């Protein structure tokens, strides 16, 4: 049957090769890089070397897999996943090398139910693909291409994960070892519009369910609306009248009565009934007054208890303050340290403040009671006398307590004044010592400043004397310079007259453009250089030649000298456009004729 062919149990797995030829089976297994094994799981070749096969590093695997479907049960995360050989009716799947990294997959599209399967054998058909992948789940459609790949769409999303388990397996059709009958499967997620549409529909449905659930939750937590008021009838009127007489149901009944009156249910026929109900509501006032009186009585009893407790607390405060004051007296006070005295005084102040607060509170309560008693109209004069006497007694007690508290406060103030005087005396002594030290330091500083000022004044006087000497020397030098200039001017006049008379040729020489022997040498060297270069030379070329003789010669000096000697040197422009260049030429022979 077809079901028996698809099941992967031990009883219905057809073998691709007959076991009567164990050598052929061993050769096929060796080509795939696995240890050849028989049906019983025993190795056919005991000396098999896995390094000789195509897939090394694979331990011996039993080709018989338990009949649990193509996808094995989930493996615990602490154990490595070991894939086994899978036998189908028309093909066999061999697992990949477990030491290789898992095959790469793209990012899973939302709601993916379609997978891409590549690396199929060229002779693979849709029936073989269906036979391999229908064990992963219900296959809805297969779209096969001519280029050895296909797309498979499953019914549910979890089936895609089962199909991805087969990625990396080597498939072989039957027992053939031809390339067209073998291939390596590559399974990956595929993006399909149908999957995306179904996923979006599912998301919208979930969103609707979530909105519905939130609406139900909001309605559950919404406060309930008040119950509707029943319409007026004689029966309902009698029911409401009975409820008005019951304390527990009075609120509900009075609300119903108010609603009926506002609706306009009162008329001539029902007026008597409404009057009886209003009368029942009026009788409830007496019950409310009695209840208020009971609560007031409880409140008065609580006030009395509070007053008693407060008076007891005040008595204890008075005793504590008395302890502080007795400790502040001279006999005991001298034996305490300064820190202990300070703590005792601080504690005494805090206790007195708290005691005064509680005392004021008690006096306020008593004043309130007196005002209430004065506001009330007391009919019995005997009771009035008793209250007056009790008030007088309470006033006397309060005055006594105030007198004692004032006396204790006065003692405390006296002690504080004595402490302050002592502290001020010590502080004044300390201040006197510090002031003396400061005065000494200031005197020392002033003495140092005076010495420094004297030194500065002496230096200033010395500098003034030096300046006066310098000024005198300067005046002498100026006078000498003026005398020298007058002598030079007179000598120059005498020399000029003698030169004009004796040697008019020298006059012409003194006016010549060549002013020194060095310039004469430069003119001779430049004339010799330019005589060798009849077509002229640039100023840079001339200076480079002169700088070999003397490195101190500069271009500006040479150019100024040549411009002064216009009858000896002439500057010309040569070239056209960008090649325009200034050249100097020797014209001394022509200049000799002109001069």
């Amino acid at each position: 049957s077809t079901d028996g062919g698809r099941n992967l149990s031990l009883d219905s797995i057809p073998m691709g090769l007959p076991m009567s030829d164990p050598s052929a089976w061993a050769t096929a297994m060796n080509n795939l890089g696995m240890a050849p094994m028989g049906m019983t799981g025993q190795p056919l070749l005991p000396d098999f070397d896995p390094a000789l096969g195509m897939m090394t590093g694979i331990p011996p695997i039993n080709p018989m897999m338990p009949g649990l479907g193509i996808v094995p049960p989930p493996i615990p995360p602490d154990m490595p996943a070991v894939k086994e050989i899978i036998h189908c009716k028309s093909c066999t799947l061999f697992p990949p090398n477990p030491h290789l990294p898992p095959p790469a997959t793209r990012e899973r599209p939302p709601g993916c139910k379609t997978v891409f399967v590549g690396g199929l054998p060229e002779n693979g058909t849709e029936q073989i693909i269906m036979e391999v992948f229908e064990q992963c789940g219900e296959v809805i459609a297969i779209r096969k291409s001519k280029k050895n790949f296909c797309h498979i769409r499953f019914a549910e999303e979890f089936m895609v994960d089962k199909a991805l388990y087969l990625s990396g397996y080597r498939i072989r059709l039957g027992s053939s070892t031809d390339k067209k009958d073998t291939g390596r499967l590559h399974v990956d997620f595929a993006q399909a519009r149908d999957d995306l549409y179904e996923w979006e529909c599912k998301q919208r449905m979930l969103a609707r369910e979530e909105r519905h659930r939130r609406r139900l939750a909001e309605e559950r937590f919404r406060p309930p609306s008040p119950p509707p008021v029943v319409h007026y009838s004689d029966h309902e009127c009698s029911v409401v009248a009975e409820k008005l007489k019951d304390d527990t149901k009075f609120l509900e009944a009075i609300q119903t009565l108010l609603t009926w009156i506002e609706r306009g249910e009162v008329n001539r026929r029902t007026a008597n009934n409404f009057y009886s109900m209003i009368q029942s509501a009026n009788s409830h006032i007496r019950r409310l007054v009695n209840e208020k009186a009971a609560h007031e009585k409880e409140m008065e009893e609580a006030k009395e208890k509070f007053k008693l407790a407060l008076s007891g607390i005040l008595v204890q405060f008075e005793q504590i303050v008395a302890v502080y004051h007795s400790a502040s007296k001279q006999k005991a006070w001298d034996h305490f340290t300064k820190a202990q005295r300070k703590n005792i005084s601080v504690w005494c102040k805090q206790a007195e403040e708290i005691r005064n607060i509680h005392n004021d509170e008690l006096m306020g309560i008593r004043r309130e009671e007196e005002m209430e008693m004065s506001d009330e109209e007391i009919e019995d004069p005997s009771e009035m006398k008793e209250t007056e006497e009790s008030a007088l007694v309470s006033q006397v007690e309060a005055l006594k307590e105030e007198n004692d508290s004032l006396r204790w406060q006065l003692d405390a103030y006296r002690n504080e004044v004595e402490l302050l005087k002592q502290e001020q005396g010590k502080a004044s002594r300390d201040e006197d010592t510090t002031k003396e030290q400061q005065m000494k330091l200031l005197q020392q500083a002033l003495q140092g400043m005076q010495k420094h000022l004297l030194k500065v004044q002496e230096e200033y006087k010395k500098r003034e004397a030096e300046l006066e000497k310098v000024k005198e020397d300067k005046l002498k030098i100026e006078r000498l310079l003026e005398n020298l200039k007058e002598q030079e001017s007179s000598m120059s006049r005498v020399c000029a007259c003698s030169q004009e008379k004796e040697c008019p040729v020298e006059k012409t020489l003194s006016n010549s453009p060549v002013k020194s022997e060095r310039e004469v040498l430069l003119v001779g060297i430049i004339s010799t250089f330019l005589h060798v270069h009849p077509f002229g030379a640039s100023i840079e070329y001339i200076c480079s030649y002169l700088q070999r003789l003397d490195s101190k010669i500069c271009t500006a000096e040479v150019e100024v000298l040549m411009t002064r000697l216009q009858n000896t040197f002439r500057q010309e422009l040569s070239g056209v456009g960008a090649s325009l260049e200034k050249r100097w030429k020797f014209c001394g022979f022509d200049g000799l004729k002109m001069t």
Side-chain angles (χ1 to χ4, degrees):
S1 65
T2 57
D3 295 336
R6 291 177 182 176
N7 193 4
L8 298 179
S9 62
L10 286 171
D11 298 333
S12 60
I13 296 176
M15 300 303 297
L17 285 175
M19 291 309 296
S20 59
D21 189 4
S23 60
W25 176 258
T27 303
M29 296 292 284
N30 190 12
N31 290 335
L32 291 171
M34 289 180 288
M37 305 183 73
M39 291 293 291
T40 59
Q42 298 296 327
L44 296 175
L45 299 176
D47 55 349
F48 172 74
D49 186 6
L52 299 176
M54 296 169 62
M55 300 171 63
T56 59
I58 300 178
I61 300 174
N62 191 347
M64 305 305 295
M65 180 179 175
L68 300 176
I70 288 182
V71 181
I75 300 171
D78 56 347
M79 294 179 63
V82 179
K83 297 183 179 181
E84 300 181 359
I85 298 175
I86 300 171
H87 293 275
C88 298
K89 187 175 180 180
S90 305
C91 61
T92 306
L93 301 177
F94 298 95
N97 190 345
H99 298 289
L100 294 176
T105 57
R106 61 179 294 178
E107 186 179 357
R108 182 168 190 157
C112 180
K113 296 182 183 178
T114 306
V115 295
F116 166 82
V117 182
L120 294 172
E122 293 184 13
N123 295 334
T125 60
E126 289 189 7
Q127 289 78 10
I128 294 173
I129 297 169
M130 178 68 76
E131 180 183 348
V132 173
F133 285 95
E134 70 180 352
Q135 297 295 332
C136 301
E138 183 183 355
V139 177
I140 295 177
I142 296 177
R143 294 189 295 273
K144 188 176 182 302
S145 175
K146 296 179 180 179
K147 297 183 179 180
N148 301 333
F149 69 87
C150 68
H151 289 84
I152 303 174
R153 189 162 188 260
F154 292 97
E156 299 294 338
E157 293 183 24
F158 69 91
M159 300 175 184
V160 173
D161 298 324
K162 294 184 178 181
L164 287 175
Y165 180 81
L166 299 176
S167 184
Y169 268 79
R170 298 175 63 85
I171 184 171
R172 187 182 65 190
L173 304 181
S175 59
S176 174
T177 58
D178 191 6
K179 286 186 178 181
K180 294 184 178 181
D181 295 332
T182 59
R184 185 185 294 274
L185 297 180
H186 174 68
V187 186
D188 198 355
F189 299 108
Q191 192 169 3
R193 283 178 292 181
D194 297 340
D195 298 344
L196 183 61
Y197 176 73
E198 289 182 2
W199 181 76
E200 289 176 350
C201 292
K202 187 177 179 181
Q203 294 299 316
R204 284 194 290 270
M205 183 183 69
L206 293 174
R208 286 195 297 271
E209 291 178 356
E210 181 67 19
R211 287 196 297 271
H212 180 67
R213 186 184 61 78
R214 289 181 181 176
R215 196 178 299 113
L216 291 177
E218 291 174 358
E219 291 177 357
R220 191 182 303 113
F221 290 109
R222 189 178 298 162
S225 58
V229 179
V230 296
H231 293 282
Y232 176 80
S233 64
D234 294 337
H235 174 70
E236 294 295 335
C237 181
S238 62
V239 171
V240 170
E242 292 295 329
K243 287 182 178 179
L244 287 171
K245 296 175 183 177
D246 190 357
D247 293 341
T248 58
K249 300 179 181 178
F250 179 78
L251 287 174
E252 182 183 354
I254 198 72
Q255 186 66 31
T256 305
L257 177 60
L258 177 62
T259 306
W260 284 348
I261 294 171
E262 289 177 351
R263 284 179 182 175
E265 299 289 345
V266 182
N267 51 34
R268 289 183 180 179
R269 186 177 65 83
T270 60
N272 293 330
N273 295 333
F274 276 100
Y275 180 76
S276 62
M277 286 189 290
I278 293 169
Q279 191 176 6
S280 299
N282 185 40
S283 63
H284 190 71
I285 294 173
R286 297 175 185 174
R287 295 195 294 271
L288 293 175
V289 170
N290 294 331
E291 188 176 352
K292 181 188 175 187
H295 287 306
E296 285 178 351
K297 188 176 180 181
E298 291 178 359
M299 187 176 69
E300 288 176 359
E301 292 176 355
K303 280 185 178 180
E304 289 295 330
K305 289 181 181 179
F306 176 70
K307 279 198 298 182
L308 291 172
L310 191 59
S311 61
I313 291 168
L314 283 172
V315 170
Q316 294 178 13
F317 269 116
E318 295 294 343
Q319 293 175 355
I320 294 168
V321 172
V323 169
Y324 289 143
H325 287 303
S326 61
S328 300
K329 290 180 180 179
Q330 196 70 25
K331 293 180 181 179
W333 191 254
D334 294 338
H335 298 288
F336 294 117
T337 62
K338 188 175 180 181
Q340 291 172 348
R341 291 176 186 176
K342 191 174 182 181
N343 290 334
I344 290 170
S345 60
V346 171
W347 295 338
C348 184
K349 287 180 183 178
Q350 292 176 354
E352 287 175 352
E353 289 175 359
I354 297 169
R355 182 200 61 190
N356 294 333
I357 291 168
H358 287 292
N359 196 4
D360 294 340
E361 189 175 356
L362 183 60
M363 293 299 291
I365 293 169
R366 287 174 180 172
R367 289 194 200 96
E368 288 177 359
E369 289 177 353
E370 290 172 3
M371 291 175 69
E372 288 174 358
M373 292 294 289
S374 64
D375 291 339
E376 292 176 356
E377 294 179 359
I378 304 171
E379 296 178 358
D380 192 357
S382 62
E383 291 181 0
M384 186 174 180
K385 290 179 181 178
E386 290 177 359
T387 53
E388 287 178 357
E389 290 176 358
S390 64
L392 289 171
V393 171
S394 63
Q395 286 179 1
V396 170
E397 290 178 355
L399 289 171
K400 284 182 180 179
E401 291 176 357
E402 287 181 0
N403 191 13
D404 294 337
S405 66
L406 289 171
R407 192 186 303 148
W408 291 331
Q409 287 179 6
L410 184 61
D411 294 337
Y413 288 146
R414 285 176 182 171
N415 294 328
E416 286 179 1
V417 168
E418 290 177 358
L419 288 171
L420 288 171
K421 286 180 179 178
Q422 293 175 1
E423 289 178 356
Q424 285 178 358
K426 292 180 180 178
S428 62
R429 293 171 189 170
D430 296 338
E431 287 178 357
D432 292 338
T433 55
T434 54
K435 284 181 180 178
E436 289 177 358
Q437 291 177 357
Q438 289 177 358
M439 288 293 290
K440 289 180 180 179
L441 292 172
L442 289 172
Q443 289 176 359
Q444 291 176 1
L446 286 171
Q447 290 176 0
M449 292 290 289
Q450 289 175 357
K451 291 179 181 179
H452 184 66
L453 283 172
L454 292 172
K455 289 181 181 178
V456 171
Q457 288 176 357
E458 290 176 358
E459 290 180 359
Y460 180 70
K461 289 178 180 179
K462 290 180 181 178
R463 295 287 175 85
E464 282 184 348
E466 290 177 358
L467 283 171
E468 289 176 356
K469 288 181 180 179
V470 170
K471 286 180 180 178
E472 291 176 357
D473 295 339
K474 186 177 180 182
L475 290 171
K476 290 179 181 179
I477 291 167
E478 287 178 353
R479 289 172 185 172
L480 290 172
L481 287 172
E482 288 177 358
N483 294 330
L484 289 172
K485 285 180 180 178
E486 289 176 357
Q487 292 177 1
E488 285 179 359
S489 60
S490 61
M491 290 292 292
S492 61
R493 288 172 188 171
V494 172
C495 291
C497 293
S498 62
Q499 284 177 359
E500 287 176 358
K501 291 178 181 180
E502 295 176 358
C503 190
V505 180
E506 291 180 359
K507 185 177 179 181
T508 57
L509 290 173
S510 62
N511 294 327
S512 65
V514 181
K515 297 178 180 180
S516 63
E517 186 179 357
R518 185 171 182 275
E519 290 183 353
V520 172
L521 291 172
L522 286 174
V523 169
I525 294 167
I526 293 168
S527 301
T528 307
F529 180 77
L530 292 177
H531 185 65
V532 179
H533 297 79
F535 297 104
S538 63
I539 189 68
E540 289 83 6
Y541 187 25
I542 296 167
C543 289
S544 64
Y545 175 74
L546 293 173
Q547 284 174 357
R548 292 181 183 177
L549 304 174
D550 186 3
S551 60
K552 296 180 181 179
I553 295 172
C554 60
T555 307
E557 181 185 358
V558 175
E559 191 170 6
V560 169
L561 178 62
M562 294 174 74
T563 52
R564 287 206 307 262
L565 300 171
Q566 296 180 357
N567 295 326
T568 309
F569 305 106
R570 183 175 66 252
Q571 190 179 16
E572 294 181 356
L573 296 174
S574 63
V576 180
S579 62
L580 193 65
E581 187 181 7
K582 294 180 180 180
R583 292 177 176 270
W584 289 90
K585 291 185 177 181
F586 178 72
C587 58
F589 300 112
D590 299 333
L592 184 63
K593 295 176 183 179
M594 292 172 65
T595 57

